[in-house]
């Protein structure tokens, strides 16, 4: 995504992103290289980031700071997920045997908000954070199907439809046909479209007071991912468990 803000702000955010992407603390020198700035500039930016709690300085280097959990809690509060969402994800995982996910669309952005996958598990194809593969994921398709055509076109124009696997849908016409099927069936399925080894099933959650044709402020979804071979053994059981979870009955 192109940078459009002041250079100092872009670099400060790049420093935070670099620390977040690292497996452990990162030295100022390494951060300067990743942000494309001088060491003195890096130190100039790292100071206020540390003072505000976005980063923490340790003996080994810079790590994420104590302000970030507060931001995440505020993010969740503003999304207003269904009560007990974390417990619901755990029950959904138990019922399906796959990892469960809570995803939301708001302000033109789709975010994987929470998951039952351990933070150390790098095998599962979806991690919390911004989702740019909505056209290829079940949770993404479930959310896109609930948007107005205008909002959907705007989202796809910004994020594109990259070919991730041979099964990925990459044309707007084919995606619209797929979303018609999603609306008719009440759930979305992605078989190897984002990752060839994984299948995900997703369903948008009902929102009270939403008028037909009105662009929603936020749309939420539940989904599960399982190895494709496992999905083909029991597709109906997985879909049933997901539907029951979305209805609050699991």
């Amino acid at each position: 995504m192109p940078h459009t803000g002041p250079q100092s702000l872009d670099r400060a955010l790049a420093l935070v992103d670099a620390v977040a992407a690292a497996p452990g603390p990162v030295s100022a020198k390494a951060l300067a290289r990743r942000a494309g700035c001088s060491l003195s500039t890096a130190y100039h930016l790292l100071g206020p980031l540390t003072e505000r709690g976005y980063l923490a300085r340790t003996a080994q280097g810079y790590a994420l700071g104590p302000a970030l959990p507060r931001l995440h809690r505020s993010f969740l509060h503003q999304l207003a997920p269904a009560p007990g969402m974390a417990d619901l994800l755990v029950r959904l995982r138990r019922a399906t045997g796959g990892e469960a996910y809570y995803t939301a669309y708001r302000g033109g952005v789709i975010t994987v908000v929470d998951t039952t996958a351990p933070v150390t598990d790098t095998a599962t194809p979806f991690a919390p954070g911004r989702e740019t593969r909505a056209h290829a994921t079940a949770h993404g398709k479930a959310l896109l199907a609930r948007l107005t055509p205008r909002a959907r076109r705007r989202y796809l124009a910004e994020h594109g439809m990259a070919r991730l696997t041979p099964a990925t849908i990459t044309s707007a016409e084919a995606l619209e046909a797929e979303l018609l099927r999603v609306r008719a069936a009440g759930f979305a399925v992605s078989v190897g479209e984002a990752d060839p080894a994984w299948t995900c099933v997703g369903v948008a959650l009902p929102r009270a007071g939403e008028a037909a044709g009105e662009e929603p402020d936020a749309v939420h979804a539940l989904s599960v991912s399982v190895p494709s071979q496992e999905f083909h053994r029991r597709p109906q059981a997985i879909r049933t468990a997901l539907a029951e979870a979305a209805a609050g009955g699991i």
Side-chain angles (χ1 to χ4, degrees):
M1 182 174 296
H3 299 301
T4 57
Q7 187 178 53
S8 60
L9 176 59
D10 283 340
R11 283 177 171 166
L13 294 174
L15 292 173
V16 176
D17 286 341
V19 173
V26 190
S27 70
K29 189 174 182 179
L31 288 172
R33 287 197 303 269
R34 296 177 193 182
C37 63
S38 67
L39 183 58
S40 61
T41 297
Y43 275 123
H44 178 73
L45 297 172
L46 289 167
L49 288 171
T50 302
E51 290 172 9
R52 288 178 173 267
Y54 297 114
L55 296 179
R57 188 174 186 177
T58 74
Q60 293 77 37
Y62 288 87
L64 294 178
L68 299 183
R70 172 180 55 80
L71 292 178
H72 185 249
R73 286 177 64 86
S74 297
F75 176 72
L76 288 176
H77 177 73
Q78 292 176 14
L79 275 178
M85 177 60 71
D87 290 339
L88 180 61
L89 292 178
V90 171
R91 296 197 300 272
L92 182 56
R93 185 188 190 282
R94 190 179 302 125
T96 62
E99 300 298 353
Y101 306 85
Y102 161 48
T103 311
Y105 165 93
R106 185 177 64 169
V109 175
I110 290 177
T111 305
V112 179
V113 180
D114 200 4
T115 173
T116 56
V119 294
T120 55
D121 186 352
T122 58
T124 54
F126 311 113
R130 188 166 184 160
E131 176 62 272
T132 60
R133 307 165 297 171
H135 64 294
T137 67
H139 50 261
K141 289 190 281 188
L143 293 170
L144 291 174
R146 291 286 297 276
L147 301 183
T148 63
R150 179 181 178 184
R152 190 159 53 248
R153 286 193 299 269
R154 189 164 59 242
Y155 178 90
L156 294 173
E158 180 175 353
H159 295 88
M161 298 176 64
R163 181 175 296 281
L164 305 172
T165 76
T168 305
I169 296 173
T170 57
S171 81
E173 293 79 8
L175 182 62
E176 282 298 320
E178 173 73 359
L179 297 182
L180 281 175
R181 289 191 287 271
V182 170
R183 287 189 285 271
F187 61 87
V189 179
S190 168
V191 181
E193 295 177 43
D195 185 297
W198 293 84
T199 289
C200 56
V201 187
V203 59
L205 298 177
R207 299 290 285 176
E210 186 176 295
E214 179 182 351
E215 183 170 330
D217 177 62
V219 186
H220 301 196
L222 283 177
S223 62
V224 295
S225 67
V226 295
S228 292
Q229 289 183 341
E230 177 67 17
F231 174 76
H232 290 310
R233 281 197 291 268
R234 49 192 188 91
Q236 188 56 50
I238 293 173
R239 288 196 293 263
T240 298
L242 187 61
E244 290 177 355
I250 196 170

